Amino acid sequence: MLQLFYAPVCPFAQRARALLEHLEFPYVPRLVDLEQRDPELLQLSPTGLVPLLMEDGLEGLSGGPFVLYESAVIAEFLIERAAWQDAYPGGLALRYQQRLAMKRFDDLLVPLHYRSMRDPSSLSEADIAEIQVEVARLAELVELLGGHHENALAFHVAPFWARMSWMGAHAPMLSLLVESDIVRFWMDRCLEVPAIRRTLPDRDQTVQNYLKKLAGEPRNG
Ligand SMILES: N[C@@H](CCC(=O)N[C@@H](CS)C(=O)NCC(=O)O)C(=O)O
């Protein structure tokens, strides 16, 4: 049986939870309080982060339980296990452009999003130019996919898009993403996928959490 350690507020964890639901895997949800260091999670994962997926029907390393952490890896595991054919629509080139966009989303856009929420003035001209290149590539990709929005790329970005749009003016990255109508409309449609919509956290509580966290953090910390 699969078990998922998650926190509703966490967009990375939502990726895994929404995929579990979309692909109709039976699983045990294990709610984690991010304010407390969960001893079981810390024992299972070297990062101590959510999401963490555990499967007691598979063998882990060193005779331990089979665990996966890192949302992108968990997503690949679930996609492969469900043999989800539509996860990456298109031919070879298009499939790998989607994977590349997902990697750039995590490596570039997500860190800059968090950093710019903490300190909007930290976004340099070079950062903005880099973001704009990725947004333009994403728009092109969405067009090539004919707007298809029930795929791995959608589950990857939609949890962040929801939270970012809820944060409004507190999320400087938002204004760069909405420069592309194609990207904005597509991301809004991704939020209509039932498993993504169902696994969204409470909006007001999430915004309050972020604001509290931002107020408590040093601006360049
Ligand atoms: N790269 C990781 C990031 C996961 C992550 O940052 N999770 C955060 C919540 S959104 C967490 O568990 N934070 C708990 C902590 O820092 O103690 C992934 O993709 O799964």
Side-chain angles (χ1 to χ4, degrees):
M1 175 62 103
L2 291 164
Q3 296 187 42
L4 180 75
F5 290 74
Y6 79 103
V9 73
C10 175
F12 299 99
Q14 192 194 349
R15 286 175 175 167
R17 206 166 146 234
L19 274 174
L20 280 162
E21 306 243 335
H22 184 71
L23 301 172
E24 298 181 346
F25 281 106
Y27 73 101
V28 180
R30 302 283 306 269
L31 186 63
V32 171
D33 179 355
L34 291 180
E35 303 299 315
Q36 316 271 329
R37 307 295 290 173
D38 184 311
E40 193 179 350
L41 182 61
L42 289 175
Q43 204 195 346
L44 289 168
S45 161
T47 64
L49 302 177
V50 292
L52 177 126
L53 187 75
M54 180 157 70
E55 166 59 287
D56 47 29
L58 292 175
E59 206 171 309
L61 295 179
S62 316
F66 176 82
V67 291
L68 290 177
Y69 42 95
E70 288 300 325
S71 57
V73 176
I74 294 173
E76 285 306 313
F77 173 78
L78 296 175
I79 288 166
E80 189 172 337
R81 186 155 172 178
W84 183 22
Q85 299 302 326
D86 276 350
Y88 296 99
L92 184 69
L94 192 49
R95 290 204 302 275
Y96 275 84
Q97 295 293 353
Q98 292 165 71
R99 287 188 166 90
L100 180 58
M102 288 157 72
K103 179 152 174 55
R104 294 294 285 161
F105 190 84
D106 279 3
D107 290 354
L108 178 81
L109 301 184
V110 170
L112 286 179
H113 161 55
Y114 284 127
R115 197 183 82 196
S116 60
M117 278 214 296
R118 287 197 299 270
D119 181 3
S121 66
S122 72
L123 272 189
S124 67
E125 294 288 315
D127 292 333
I128 292 171
E130 241 189 324
I131 295 167
Q132 283 170 332
V133 167
E134 287 308 322
V135 174
R137 290 179 59 98
L138 189 56
E140 197 178 334
L141 198 48
V142 167
E143 283 201 299
L144 288 171
L145 289 168
H148 190 288
H149 66 284
E150 278 198 29
N151 51 39
L153 182 62
F155 281 80
H156 196 81
V157 302
F160 287 88
W161 169 246
R163 289 158 179 78
M164 217 181 269
S165 41
W166 294 345
M167 289 303 286
H170 297 281
M173 179 82 90
L174 187 63
S175 58
L176 295 167
L177 285 181
V178 301
E179 273 177 16
S180 163
D181 283 344
I182 295 169
V183 168
R184 179 158 52 95
F185 290 141
W186 176 77
M187 291 213 196
D188 280 342
R189 285 192 73 204
C190 296
L191 293 180
E192 290 165 17
V193 175
I196 296 179
R197 205 181 49 229
R198 269 203 316 275
T199 51
L200 283 171
D202 177 79
R203 177 181 176 148
D204 290 343
Q205 206 181 325
T206 306
V207 170
Q208 290 313 317
N209 272 348
Y210 276 128
L211 292 178
K212 208 170 86 188
K213 210 161 165 259
L214 292 176
E217 278 180 7
R219 279 176 73 78
N220 51 3

